[in-house]
Amino acid sequence: MSTGVGRRIVRTLVAASVVAGLGCASACAGGDDDGDGKDKKAARASATGQPADASKEKAKGKDGGGDGAEDQDQDQAKGSSKDSSVAPDTDESLTRAQLKKAALTTGDVKGYKVEGAGSADLQGASSPASPAKCQPVADMFLFGTDPVSRTSLSRGVTAEDETSASVITLALLSYGSGEADDVLAGLRKATGECTAYQYVGYDYSEVEALADPKLGDESVAFRLVASIEGAEVPAAYTVVRDGPTLVAFSSMNMLDADEVEVPAELVEAQLAKLKRTTA
């Protein structure tokens, strides 16, 4: 087992279980209790990888993503001399600063809060999936791809409705010319052929290609059920290509498998913002 990938998968499961528990508790209680508001805030923050004290995030970045200085340092470390305010050529990969500017924030979509998610939970070293034909699906569970994106960022999205047990993650992935096309082609092929697989010691089943949402330049949607540490985690994915950039969403719901879906309004809003900020 790849220890790093395995740990990231378990953290993803923990996030899903925490938010699911919050949804159940809120539904049973019929609303929030002022006495435990701070505890719920801390639990939700844990689920999305963001500190409960928002003031800590403000010291790191004004948009609540918590990675403003990190974004700048990573672009400089890669030798980027691009001005994030200048629109790129059609096939030119976006910098992390441009991805950050294009990412959804709280207030962009009514009814949802957007919080920073640790970039360490994105991608990481890939491990072999069995059977091999499922590799693109296995990697996408943590937004990994082949070829690997040039740069990326993630955001946690939660519904303002406290009864919601869905854990939604947004990822923006930037590629070189033609690379995003290859990723979508591989993912489309895999979702059509793969039904179940093993990855870093965990079982995944009920892999099913969903109807093409027909968004962006091309898109793929699928769902699966992950069996991790004795828990069944239904998950749905929507991945859309906009030029050399992929907009990917995952949604997990441990309380109601029938409710597992990626909200279309989130995908459409993210695509629209990406267009606006890179046009």
Side-chain angles (χ1 to χ4, degrees):
M1 174 190 293
S2 171
T3 303
V5 176
R7 286 175 179 171
R8 282 188 286 273
I9 289 174
V10 171
R11 284 201 297 270
T12 301
L13 170 67
V14 171
S17 63
V18 168
V19 174
L22 282 172
C24 179
S26 180
C28 293
D32 289 340
D33 185 310
D34 292 340
D36 63 2
K38 292 183 179 180
D39 292 337
K40 290 184 178 180
K41 179 180 179 182
R44 269 186 171 262
S46 173
T48 56
Q50 178 176 333
D53 185 357
S55 64
K56 295 180 181 179
E57 291 300 288
K58 291 180 181 179
K60 297 180 182 179
K62 295 181 179 179
D63 73 340
D67 54 3
E70 179 187 350
D71 293 342
Q72 185 176 14
D73 291 342
Q74 287 189 17
D75 278 337
Q76 290 175 347
K78 292 182 180 181
S80 173
S81 60
K82 301 173 185 176
D83 182 349
S84 63
S85 65
V86 177
D89 294 334
T90 302
D91 293 328
E92 185 177 0
S93 59
L94 301 183
T95 65
R96 187 173 171 84
Q98 288 172 314
L99 293 183
K100 182 181 177 184
K101 182 180 179 182
L104 290 177
T105 59
T106 298
D108 286 338
V109 185
K110 185 177 180 180
Y112 292 94
K113 297 178 182 178
V114 181
E115 301 172 301
S119 59
D121 287 332
L122 273 176
Q123 303 175 306
S126 176
S127 296
S130 179
K133 64 183 179 181
C134 297
Q135 191 71 51
V137 174
D139 287 340
M140 184 53 68
F141 190 79
L142 291 175
F143 303 111
T145 62
D146 182 16
V148 176
S149 63
R150 304 295 179 89
T151 189
S152 61
L153 64 76
S154 65
R155 293 288 184 262
V157 184
T158 55
E160 292 180 349
D161 178 3
E162 292 292 341
T163 65
S164 173
S166 293
V167 175
I168 302 170
T169 304
L170 153 69
L172 296 180
L173 311 169
S174 178
Y175 298 87
S177 179
E179 292 177 339
D181 307 58
D182 293 340
V183 172
L184 258 291
L187 192 57
R188 183 179 296 106
K189 185 174 187 294
T191 56
E193 298 177 349
C194 174
T195 56
Y197 62 93
Q198 286 191 326
Y199 188 63
V200 293
Y202 301 124
D203 294 322
Y204 298 79
S205 61
E206 300 180 40
V207 180
E208 176 188 5
L210 302 177
D212 185 347
K214 297 182 179 180
L215 296 170
D217 295 321
E218 57 179 326
S219 52
V220 173
F222 64 96
R223 61 178 295 162
L224 55 81
V225 176
S227 299
I228 305 173
E229 305 295 332
E232 298 292 303
V233 187
Y237 285 77
T238 297
V239 185
V240 183
R241 181 177 70 82
D242 183 88
T245 306
L246 292 186
V247 171
F249 278 88
S250 72
S251 179
M252 302 181 186
N253 189 319
M254 296 179 67
L255 293 185
D256 191 345
D258 294 334
E259 293 298 320
V260 177
E261 64 177 3
V262 174
E265 62 267 31
L266 287 175
V267 184
E268 292 168 359
Q270 179 57 83
L271 286 169
K273 188 169 185 180
L274 179 64
K275 287 286 189 183
R276 291 196 306 272
T277 54
T278 60

